[in-house]
Amino acid sequence: MKKIHYTKPSVGELEAQYVLDAVTHGWGERCYEYITRFEKTFAEHLGATYAIATSSCTGALHMGMAALGVGADDEVILGNTNWIASAAPIDYLGARPVFVDVLEDSWCLDPRQVRAAITPKTKAILAVHLYGNLCDMDALLAIGAEFGIPVIEDAAEAIGSQWQGKAAGSMGAFGAFSFHGTKTMTTGEGGMFVTSDRALYERVLTLSNHGRVAGSTRQFWPDFIGFKYKMSNLQAAIGCAQVERIDELIERKRAIFNRYAQGLHGLVGVSMNPQPTHSRNGYWMPTVVLDEALGITRDTLIEAFKAQEIDARVFFWPLSSLPMFQAHDVDTPVSFSLCERAINLPSYHDMTDEDQGRVIGVIHHVLKCKELQ
Ligand SMILES: *Cc1c(COP(=O)(O)O)cnc(C)c1O
């Protein structure tokens, strides 16, 4: 039986052609050409003004939060259902992640919980668009405006997602993206900081340059301690090709999701990534959530997929369940319940209709077995 992997990037001839050009000619005077082009075309795709390519999304978040002044003793509010990369930069800066519950349908930040968690120490709200799903940006931006707190978008999983016509990552104080090999578009490893705020852009640019101010007359003169999270021209060459193909990459993700949705249509107690009206879900990772009433757990699903040589992936654990955050006092029943009965389905661009049929078959089988019990 052919193994079905859960993720794999779509990289082809165009990427190879650009990388060959970068490795052959992209040095000396031309050592930033692909980087500049990648930043420009990616920002255009989003409808944002400024972009800075980075070595990771983690790095983009770290610099962006540093530029917003997040520091010792500050608090940053985020959903408890998340990957560690969203929370780690908060810790790097000596601040405290404050975990609140997520919504049952979007698996993203519950705006009412955000409002309730605001204290005088709150320095930012981190809106993570989970698995392509969109946070309620209208509600979060309104709360941010009311309290004078910036809303940051971690859009690593939301390439192709749009909230009422606006690209995920383009609405908050800044957006951060990841081009890790598992994401909708890739540069192997890599990320992007995006903003339309000129002052914030300039602060991050200086930070990303080891604290050297652009246009300074003194060479090799850092004014303060900065960071080194740069993307190489070689990676940016891959990125340029991926941006040219971005509509195709997004459309394929959406087609894969729609095929699953069709195959699972009508199954009682099974829900998938929602797409709010007037919005578009980029469907980075098609995910199935089973109603508690079905009594089927994540482990049952994983075993069933394993038996069919299919890689399914566990839903994110609540961050407060991880060893480093266990001392945090949180009350997030939805986050804890979701991860017990949800699973990410394989969704790489090159998977076939037959592969998807096998995945769909396993879910039908698990539900039928339960019915017969
Ligand atoms: C992948 C991911 C990251 C981390 O991206 P890196 O480029 O690996 O640093 C951050 N946030 C979210 C939501 C992610 O999915």
Side-chain angles (χ1 to χ4, degrees):
M1 209 180 336
K2 184 182 114 190
K3 178 152 179 116
I4 301 178
H5 296 274
Y6 83 87
T7 167
K8 210 163 32 175
S10 167
V11 175
E13 299 218 340
L14 190 63
E15 288 81 357
Q17 187 191 321
Y18 286 2
V19 173
L20 183 61
D21 178 57
V23 82
T24 314
H25 306 292
W27 309 103
E29 282 172 357
R30 301 183 56 184
C31 71
Y32 297 123
E33 271 180 15
Y34 278 107
I35 298 175
T36 316
R37 178 167 147 198
F38 183 35
E39 290 171 340
K40 183 167 174 288
T41 54
F42 189 77
E44 275 167 11
H45 162 74
L46 285 185
T49 318
Y50 307 104
I52 299 171
T54 59
S55 52
S56 69
C57 177
T58 309
L61 285 169
H62 191 183
M63 290 195 293
M65 287 194 226
L68 285 178
V70 174
D73 251 6
D74 291 333
E75 294 174 354
V76 176
I77 300 172
L78 73 162
N80 202 13
T81 296
N82 260 313
W83 173 230
I84 186 90
S86 305
I90 302 169
D91 190 81
Y92 299 164
L93 292 164
R96 213 172 82 90
V98 173
F99 305 120
V100 301
D101 215 351
V102 296
L103 294 166
E104 175 73 40
D105 57 350
S106 71
W107 327 323
C108 290
L109 267 181
D110 179 345
R112 277 179 313 176
Q113 304 277 341
V114 170
R115 174 182 282 274
I118 290 174
T119 74
K121 291 182 174 179
T122 306
K123 209 54 190 258
I125 296 164
L126 180 54
V128 184
H129 303 295
L130 212 76
Y131 300 133
N133 298 359
L134 288 143
C135 294
D136 182 341
M137 289 307 289
D138 292 349
L140 294 176
L141 289 169
I143 293 170
E146 181 184 337
F147 291 89
I149 298 168
V151 177
I152 301 166
E153 291 180 270
D154 179 343
E157 304 179 0
I159 285 174
S161 296
Q162 293 176 349
W163 175 257
Q164 325 230 336
K166 291 192 190 123
S170 73
M171 293 167 277
F174 73 84
F177 289 85
S178 172
F179 308 123
H180 179 257
T182 53
K183 303 289 156 74
T184 295
M185 63 165 272
T186 193
T187 58
E189 291 278 2
M192 193 75 85
F193 167 89
V194 174
T195 188
S196 292
D197 176 337
R198 187 183 175 105
L200 189 63
Y201 165 71
E202 284 174 356
R203 276 205 295 286
V204 172
L205 196 61
T206 303
L207 281 174
S208 77
N209 220 354
H210 269 316
R212 291 179 293 176
V213 178
S216 166
T217 44
R218 273 198 279 190
Q219 268 191 318
F220 287 111
W221 186 264
D223 283 301
F224 47 84
I225 294 281
F227 297 96
K228 186 65 193 292
Y229 285 133
K230 295 200 182 194
M231 174 178 280
S232 75
N233 202 49
L234 295 174
Q235 291 167 301
I238 303 177
C240 287
Q242 293 262 291
V243 172
E244 279 183 41
R245 295 181 49 218
I246 196 148
D247 291 334
E248 166 204 336
L249 295 174
I250 294 165
E251 275 322 306
R252 184 66 193 129
K253 278 286 186 183
R254 286 175 53 79
I256 289 169
F257 178 89
N258 288 334
R259 172 77 184 93
Y260 280 134
Q262 192 186 51
L264 301 173
H265 183 75
L267 289 182
V268 177
V270 176
S271 46
M272 295 188 72
N273 315 50
Q275 178 168 260
T277 38
H278 306 303
S279 296
R280 182 175 83 162
N281 194 322
Y283 294 130
W284 170 58
M285 197 150 277
T287 299
V288 162
V289 179
L290 302 179
D291 275 3
E292 265 169 72
L294 288 174
I296 300 170
T297 65
R298 164 191 68 221
D299 297 335
T300 307
L301 285 169
I302 289 180
E303 282 310 312
F305 280 118
K306 219 184 234 163
Q308 296 299 316
E309 295 283 321
I310 297 167
D311 248 356
R313 204 172 81 148
V314 297
F315 200 82
F316 293 129
W317 307 100
L319 289 173
S320 72
S321 71
L322 305 178
M324 60 297 243
F325 297 129
Q326 271 171 13
H328 286 230
D329 177 28
V330 302
D331 178 23
T332 61
V334 180
S335 292
F336 277 85
S337 170
L338 276 175
C339 79
E340 294 299 327
R341 51 194 173 84
I343 196 133
N344 304 136
L345 306 180
S347 65
Y348 58 93
H349 300 85
D350 295 337
M351 74 187 301
T352 63
D353 193 58
E354 192 193 332
D355 293 336
Q356 288 203 262
R358 267 170 66 195
V359 176
I360 292 164
V362 170
I363 298 172
H364 279 273
H365 177 73
V366 169
L367 286 166
K368 201 159 279 162
C369 289
K370 188 69 195 180
E371 249 171 48
L372 297 174
Q373 263 175 26

